[in-house]
Each structure stands twice: as structure tokens, then as C-alpha cells.
Amino acid sequence: MASNLAPIPELYVSYESAQKLKAEAGNLASHDLTPRQICDLELLMNGGFNPLKGFLTEEDYDSVVETMRTKDGALWPMPVTLDVSEKFADTVELGQDIALRDQEGVILATMTVTDKWVPNKSREAEKVFGADDLAHPAVNYLHNHAGAVYLGGPITGIQQPVHYDFRARRDTPNELRAYFRKMGWRKIVAFQTRNPLHRAHQELTFRAAKEAQAKLLIHPVVGMTKPGDVDHFTRVRCYEAVLDKYPSSTTHLSLLNLAMRMAGPREALWHAIIRKNHGLTHFIVGRDHAGPGKNSQGEDFYGPYDAQELVRQHQEEVGIEMVDFKHMVYVQEKAQYYPIDEVPEGATVLNISGTELRRRLAEGLEIPEWFSFPEVVKELRRTKPPRAKQGFTVFFTGFSGSGKSTIANALMVKLMEMGGRPVTLLDGDIVRKNLSSELGFSKEHRDLNIRRIGYVASEITKNGGIAICAPIAPYAATRRAVREDVENFGAFIEVHVATSIEECEKRDRKGLYKLAREGKIKEFTGISDPYDVPENPELRVETEGTDVDNCAHQVILKLEQMGLIAG
């Protein structure tokens, strides 16, 4: 049997052993996995991350970060670690077994903890992602979401995570290998995507299959991708809508529950290894594969063909052949797609960027048939109606006494006067009373309060309403997390109410600044605790010498400019 078709090792125990382990797991310390960890665990257990036998030990982690290899020399470019809180880590001894559970408490696996350490996250960011820059979504995750302590050790798989969506489309590596055996497929090229399929992608995949003389596996990622990406439910409906544009006897669609890191070249190599484990012989690596966009200086994190170069260097060792593709563009005179370096001289090139596509969807503008399929556009419009019909969040931030609540109230009344969408005010004091009455004012509790506001705002936005938030929200990392939550469903407008601390003290009706100056209130923003001034808010309003109505009107004008309300 061809090596790509033979079964590969999984980490699951038998059904009988699993039942016994489930019963025994009631006495074990339990870790509730994050969504990213559930994705990682699933691919560890089903062989997608072969040759890993568990979450990386400290030695393996150090080696992977520095050399892209485990300590025994196996090529592995991405740290797959179990990050936990310091509080949980303190309860775990080396050699101890812990239960790994999903977010409903269902046990998926046990893990023997062989290693426990505090990683140097800045070094990990530099080595793995190329820069310790919070503009990179994985670096931001590393510093602001991931636990402070890493645990390593082998895992024993009990059951796979349950997926209620698109079940017939989800294949383990061994299920895909069995499918290829059954169909008599020997050479199969994989197309990796986290975006809907448009006509350029179809042309690219047709050419790749023809070049490799192989069958085609469309293998999109449906785990975690980049914040702001089209949700996987919409994307899979788009894939299914265009599947009949491909010959059914030569094309298969399967979903990969991978948590992407957007790590460019390293990620591309990681994807190649994962596809090899799924039985693929060829793998398409495109321009800026798994790139996260711009860094803090406004430049691309990775070169357009860095990923292709790294995969090319290692393809023989991985055992998968890379099919490299340039950017595809539409040539008007020829009425077809060409790789950008094969465009006839003097020809008219048409192209619609991702940004331009989002603008056209947001404004309800035409999306030409040469760019995408009507079926795909229809699905995208169902999920993303024109901006003037979408929900959104206006998020005021500023010092205590800056005028946030007053402007927010005025804005709420103006929007309610216009009508059309429900408007909810999530003012700091209202939220403290109704959502966070048990919280104090430590950094941890203030962060938790803002995250609760963000969660409620994201739900309002998702359901087509308008959320107006007016907390102090002093920390940039927390505001960013809220933005990411909301932008999964609609627009987020950050409004910095830029009243000076001196003016806020003058207005201080409650006497809070005086108490803070006297040390009677600890960790008071602007006095004994920092305020991260927003660097690039959608709007900055000055309240000194400006009346409330004018400030609220500035926000209304901004919303009109962004197409969120009718002018």
C-alpha cells in the first residue's frame, strides 16, 4: 500500500479503556480547554499532528522555537503547547495525570504532566512569528490571552470533540486515507484556504491539479483563523455552493479543524506536514501563505514568496510536493485568469482586493461575475448585509469625569429618534450595578468588567442592534480584545473622549479624584493607575469648550461617513 494511503497512528484508546478512564477521571484535576486547545488536541489525537504524542515538553518546545525541530530531530515548525493559568499550574505536580475537558465539561483526554515551565513569550514571538509585535494576531494572543505557564506531556485520547455542524464533511486523517483508497486516488493535491472560493481560486486549483496530474482536495480551515475573517459557517456554505463547478469524480471537500497562527513561512511548512498526515501527495502554497497582513509599521510581516521558499527547502523531508502559485488576476481582453507574471504585455488587468470586496459588500455595490460566482455572493450577502442594516458598537473610553456617559446618553437619544434599530446603552455605572455587582476595582476585575461589556455588545451587534458602551476601559489590550469580539459580527467605533485629567478633576462631582490623591482609593485611573491613550481611535472628541450636543453630533457624522446610518 502507498505510504500516503496506509493508516497512521492515532492516540485514542479502545472504547472499553475509554469508559474505564472516564470513570477514573472524576478523581483527577481538570483543565477546561480553550477553543484553540480543543483544535490542537483533536489533531494530536487523530494523527493530524503526527509524530507528536502530546503537548510539547520544555526541551521539545525550546528546540522547536529555535530550530523548527523536536529534540529528537523531527521537523516541526510550530509550538503546540498547553498554556494554563498560574493558579491551575500551582495545583499540578510533575508526574500527575490531569483530565482535559471541553467547555461543557466533557472529558476528551487525559495528560501525564512531565513538564511545567514559564516560557519566554517574547523570544517565542521573535523566533516563531518573526517579531514581538502586537499587531500580529498570534503575538497578541500569546501575550494577552494565553496562560502564563506551559504544561507538557503525553496524552491519552478518550473521545474526539463533538461537532454538530457539517458532520459529513469532517474527516480524520485516517478517514481521508480510507476515502482515497476506496476511490483509487494515488496523487492528491490539497488546497488550503480560510476565505470563500472565488473564480481566481477555482482557476488556481484547476491549474494546480493539472500541473500535478492529481485529484483535488479542497481542505479549508474551520477552526480558529484571523479575527475579522468570514465565519466558517458562511464559508462552508460558499464552498458547497460552488462544488458542482468542479468535476465530482476528481474533487473532494473536507474540513480541517485547525487553529491557525497566521505564522507565514513556518505556518506553511506546518500546513504541509499536516496535509502529509492526511494522505496528500501535493500541496498548493500561494502568495503570502497564512500571512496576517501589516505590522505596526504598516509593512507586511512576511515577503510574498517566503512561505514557498521554506516549504521548497523541506518538501523532500516532509514527503509532499509543493505546487507554488503566483497571484491570479483577470485579463479583460482574454476574459480569463492568468498568473500575474504571465499577463500578456499591454493587457488590461482587473482585480478586486479583499478590502475592496468587503467595501462592496458593506455598501451593497455590484460584485462582477468575472470575480466571483453568484452563488458565493448570495451567501456572503446573507451574512453581511449592507452596513446601514448591520449592528454596530460605539465604544467610548476616557478618564472618569471626561463626559463619556453624558455624550453616550445624547447619542442614544439621537439614534433612537432616527429609529430602525434597537439601541442599548451599556454605561459603566449601569453595568456595574446589573452585570458586575460582585467585582471590585483591581486590574483583574476591571478587565473582567470590560470583557463582560464587550461580550454583551458583541451579542447586540450580532443581532443587528446598536450597542453604546461608556466605561473608562484604561487598558489598550482589553479594548483590543473587545474590538475583536465585536468585529466578528459588525463595526466597532472607538471614541476617545480626550478630556485632560486636570479638567476631569475640576468636574469631579463625586470627589473621587480628591480621595485618590489622598490615597483613600487605590488603583485609580490617571492618578495611581495608568491609562493607555488610544493610538488610532475611529474618533477623538474634545469636550473642553464644546457642548454635549456638538460632541454627540460628531459621532453621528462619523457613523454616516462609515455608512452605518443613512445620511
Side-chain angles (χ1 to χ4, degrees), residues 311-359:
V311 176
R312 189 178 287 112
Q313 284 172 31
H314 295 284
Q315 62 180 351
E316 206 169 305
E317 182 179 358
V318 173
I320 197 166
E321 195 171 319
M322 181 181 75
V323 183
D324 60 331
F325 264 95
K326 304 288 191 293
H327 186 44
M328 302 292 289
V329 291
Y330 187 75
V331 176
Q332 189 172 25
E333 290 82 357
K334 301 283 187 181
Q336 67 186 68
Y337 278 89
Y338 283 81
I340 198 160
D341 58 352
E342 293 177 22
V343 173
E345 195 173 336
T348 309
V349 169
L350 301 178
N351 189 29
I352 292 180
S353 67
T355 304
E356 174 63 11
L357 173 63
R358 285 189 290 275
R359 186 185 77 83

Side-chain angles (χ1 to χ4, degrees), residues 30-69:
S30 285
H31 172 65
D32 292 338
L33 299 159
T34 64
R36 181 158 117 171
Q37 290 167 351
I38 291 172
C39 291
D40 287 351
L41 179 65
E42 180 171 357
L43 286 164
L44 282 168
M45 294 192 295
N46 70 22
F49 282 175
N50 187 55
L52 300 192
K53 298 292 184 275
F55 289 100
L56 294 181
T57 63
E58 187 174 6
E59 270 190 316
D60 278 333
Y61 163 80
D62 286 335
S63 184
V64 165
V65 167
E66 292 290 339
T67 69
M68 298 199 305
R69 293 181 184 276

Side-chain angles (χ1 to χ4, degrees), residues 88-107:
F88 180 76
D90 287 343
T91 69
V92 176
E93 301 292 331
L94 296 186
Q96 178 181 339
D97 285 353
I98 60 172
L100 303 179
R101 299 180 183 273
D102 69 13
Q103 293 179 312
E104 279 75 49
V106 176
I107 184 164

